[in-house]
Amino acid sequence: MYDIAIIGGGVGGLVTASGCAQFGAKTVLVEKEKLGGDCLNYGCVPTKTLLHTAKIFHTIKDTGDLGINVDSASLDFKKVMDHMRQVQSKIAVHDDPERFRKMGVEILFGSGSFKDRHTFNVNGTEIKSRNFLVATGSRPAAPPIPGLENVDYLTNETILELEELPKKLLVIGAGPIGMEYAQCFSRFGSRVTVIEKMGQILPREESELADILEKELKNEGIEIETCIEMEKIEKTAQGIEITALCEKDKCRKKFVGDKLMVAIGRAPNVEGLNLEGIGVAVERSGIKVNGSLRTGVPNIFACGDVTGLFPFTHMAEHEAGIVVGNAIFPFVNRKMNKNVVPWATFTDPELARVGMTEAEAKTKHGQSGVKIYKYGYSEHDRAIIEGKGVGEVKLVCNLKGGILGAHILGQDAGNLIHEYALAMNNGISVQKISSTIHVYPTMGQIVKRAADQYYREKLFSGPMATFSRYWFGRK
């Protein structure tokens, strides 16, 4: 009898296995294919490697204004992809099965299913355990577009197998995956068209910042079409052709490319596990869990992408820490804070967020209960120095300066958002961020500059301003 059996060897499963084993719990981990999960094999590691390469290539070609003349710059796509795989191999050592076996984790490879709440069958062997964690992740979902099943389309997994750069790449879906790949391949030299059903790119993000990013990406040469309802996809002599209705213009459009990437949504990997057979509720988005990450069967937990809550590697890691405490120690009942979850889209410029948007905050606190403070990258010295003046910091606050949400579009946004996340998680107001000394000239100082707008409003438009004008004899 194990203390915990973990199904799935991605980030959530591996962190849980490591934590439980180091606490002395008898731990077994079952993985269908290879350790590392989506992050190592198809997600964060390969995509950020490609984006880094694309950014370097783009920078090399755009140095004329700096006085650096580059006569020619070319890209070897095959070598780019080979480099990506080398990076994966270097990072994969962290997910070596032997590393976890040395920690005391038993590793089993194969598929299986639940027999009952304490028994999991894998490779003909019954695993008995007091607790289980399901961390099987997710996979790309195929939207119901007529004809899609008849074309050889790419996903975030299969696009990494390309050996030749597409001349014309169509991307369905303007979420983080779609937009990152769109910019990446555009900078490599593909002609890219992004097709999105919603009215803006990155629909979960603050609309005004998403609009600024869209304009910047269009300036780079990416064609972006929003409010598009796709009617059919077919293979023609010219390539892959999409027929769609543009709801803004009330007209039909055709898009043609030699490669098509579908980046719309994810589906939880739950097939064959017999979860519903043992009483675990599974919804369309994923396994249903409570704040403690328990399913409806108390000794069975779920975390990571398979829950459909927050499809981010850092959240799978965070959730795994909650599972470790709750599964091993009966007196512990840790819960996840869903209100302070930072994330970022790694386009250039980056777009990062934590907490509520302006619209969400006004819905909850009323139009008069929310204050907005903004500071542009175009005003920030370090951004100007580095030629990165596109972007904005937008803070959504209550009337007392408490931060309800923070949104950053610009250079290093993914790094900068953490100071606001820390503040929100610990009840630190914009006033305290403003009064904290930040090094000049750093990008980090832009966090303070945005918070300074709180005092600017108080000093120049509040009672203090009225008193000051009276004091100095000015109306």
Side-chain angles (χ1 to χ4, degrees):
M1 174 72 76
Y2 293 95
D3 295 304
I4 186 164
I6 299 156
I7 316 301
V11 171
L14 293 175
V15 172
T16 303
S18 172
C20 290
Q22 291 181 76
F23 274 120
K26 190 176 181 182
T27 306
V28 61
L29 185 147
V30 180
E31 167 55 39
K32 186 176 181 180
E33 296 178 355
K34 51 189 175 181
L35 300 187
D38 190 73
C39 178
L40 172 65
N41 298 303
Y42 309 112
C44 313
V45 173
T47 58
K48 277 47 182 180
T49 303
L50 293 176
L51 285 166
H52 178 64
T53 302
K55 187 174 183 179
I56 292 174
F57 186 50
H58 179 75
T59 301
I60 289 173
K61 296 191 299 180
D62 194 33
T63 56
D65 291 343
L66 303 178
I68 301 172
N69 298 315
V70 179
D71 293 334
S72 63
S74 60
L75 182 134
D76 187 325
F77 184 72
K78 187 177 185 305
K79 286 186 177 180
V80 168
M81 301 302 279
D82 287 343
H83 169 69
M84 174 203 71
R85 295 179 187 112
Q86 290 169 7
V87 172
Q88 284 179 298
S89 297
K90 290 179 181 179
I91 294 178
V93 299
H94 302 305
D95 299 331
D96 186 345
E98 287 307 312
R99 177 170 176 259
F100 289 88
R101 289 188 177 112
K102 289 178 181 178
M103 295 179 189
V105 181
E106 184 177 346
I107 306 288
L108 298 176
F109 288 96
S111 301
S113 63
F114 281 95
K115 179 181 178 181
D116 56 52
R117 58 179 290 186
H118 288 291
T119 310
F120 189 81
N121 290 322
V122 58
N123 299 336
T125 301
E126 284 193 351
I127 295 175
K128 296 280 188 180
S129 182
R130 294 182 179 86
N131 295 288
F132 282 90
L133 168 67
V134 180
T136 48
S138 64
R139 65 184 184 281
I145 305 172
L148 179 62
E149 69 280 3
N150 298 322
V151 300
D152 186 18
Y153 65 89
L154 301 168
T155 68
N156 73 301
E157 297 179 1
T158 57
I159 197 170
L160 299 175
E161 300 170 3
L162 289 177
E163 295 293 336
E164 293 184 4
L165 182 69
K167 293 180 180 178
K168 179 67 186 296
L169 177 65
L170 303 177
V171 179
I172 296 177
I177 293 173
M179 296 315 302
E180 287 180 4
Y181 271 109
Q183 186 177 40
C184 180
F185 274 75
S186 175
R187 287 182 166 185
F188 285 159
S190 297
R191 290 178 55 211
V192 179
T193 299
V194 179
I195 305 165
E196 169 60 44
K197 182 177 181 178
M198 305 297 287
Q200 70 171 64
I201 67 170
L202 302 171
R204 296 182 67 183
E205 306 301 333
E206 188 70 54
S207 59
E208 65 182 278
L209 299 190
D211 289 345
I212 296 172
L213 176 59
E214 180 179 338
K215 182 179 179 181
E216 186 70 7
L217 295 175
K218 285 181 175 178
N219 288 340
E220 282 195 18
I222 301 172
E223 182 181 351
I224 299 174
E225 298 278 352
T226 56
C227 298
I228 299 294
E229 188 69 44
M230 280 158 288
E231 297 181 329
K232 66 177 179 178
I233 299 175
E234 56 189 333
K235 183 73 173 175
T236 68
Q238 287 72 41
I240 298 174
E241 183 177 279
I242 298 174
T243 303
L245 175 65
C246 178
E247 296 182 351
K248 286 188 294 187
D249 301 330
K250 302 300 180 185
C251 66
R252 278 185 172 76
K253 293 187 175 184
K254 289 186 182 294
F255 306 96
V256 180
D258 57 311
K259 291 291 183 181
L260 167 66
M261 180 184 185
V262 176
I264 300 180
R266 309 283 295 178
N269 293 324
V270 294
E271 290 78 8
L273 295 177
N274 190 36
L275 290 168
E276 292 174 314
I278 61 169
V280 174
V282 179
E283 300 175 335
R284 183 179 179 182
S285 59
I287 298 174
K288 187 176 181 179
V289 293
N290 62 18
S292 302
L293 297 171
R294 294 181 189 269
T295 67
V297 180
N299 72 306
I300 299 180
F301 298 79
C303 79
D305 287 11
V306 76
T307 67
L309 294 174
F310 299 101
F312 311 115
T313 298
H314 53 279
M315 283 307 293
E317 181 179 1
H318 174 70
E319 291 167 9
I322 294 173
V323 172
V324 170
N326 292 343
I328 292 181
F329 304 110
F331 50 85
V332 171
N333 185 28
R334 294 182 62 195
K335 293 188 177 182
M336 180 173 56
N337 181 1
K338 298 180 182 180
N339 297 319
V340 186
V341 178
W343 66 75
T345 299
F346 294 94
T347 48
D348 179 22
E350 297 174 357
L351 180 54
R353 164 187 177 173
V354 61
M356 290 185 274
T357 63
E358 179 180 353
E360 290 168 346
K362 287 182 175 179
T363 297
K364 184 173 181 179
H365 298 278
Q367 292 287 326
S368 60
V370 174
K371 285 285 187 178
I372 304 297
Y373 304 106
K374 301 179 183 179
Y375 187 76
Y377 269 64
S378 61
E379 304 174 69
H380 190 61
D381 290 0
R382 186 55 184 263
I384 295 170
I385 289 168
E386 296 190 1
K388 298 294 183 179
V390 174
E392 182 177 85
V393 180
K394 179 175 182 177
L395 300 180
V396 182
C397 300
N398 61 28
L399 300 184
K400 294 183 178 180
I403 304 172
L404 303 174
H407 308 265
I408 307 176
L409 172 68
Q411 173 86 341
D412 288 337
N415 290 323
L416 299 174
I417 199 67
H418 295 114
E419 188 169 348
Y420 292 127
L422 176 67
M424 290 177 65
N425 205 43
N426 293 276
I428 298 171
S429 64
V430 286
Q431 299 97 306
K432 290 184 178 180
I433 293 177
S434 177
S435 63
T436 299
I437 300 170
H438 289 63
V439 175
Y440 178 90
T442 63
M443 288 305 306
Q445 199 181 46
I446 203 169
V447 173
K448 169 180 161 56
R449 290 286 183 252
D452 287 346
Q453 304 311 303
Y454 171 87
Y455 281 119
R456 176 178 290 274
E457 181 184 70
K458 294 291 183 184
L459 290 174
F460 299 120
S461 62
M464 180 63 74
T466 302
F467 173 77
S468 178
R469 286 192 290 270
Y470 172 79
W471 180 261
F472 288 105
R474 298 177 63 184
K475 294 183 180 180

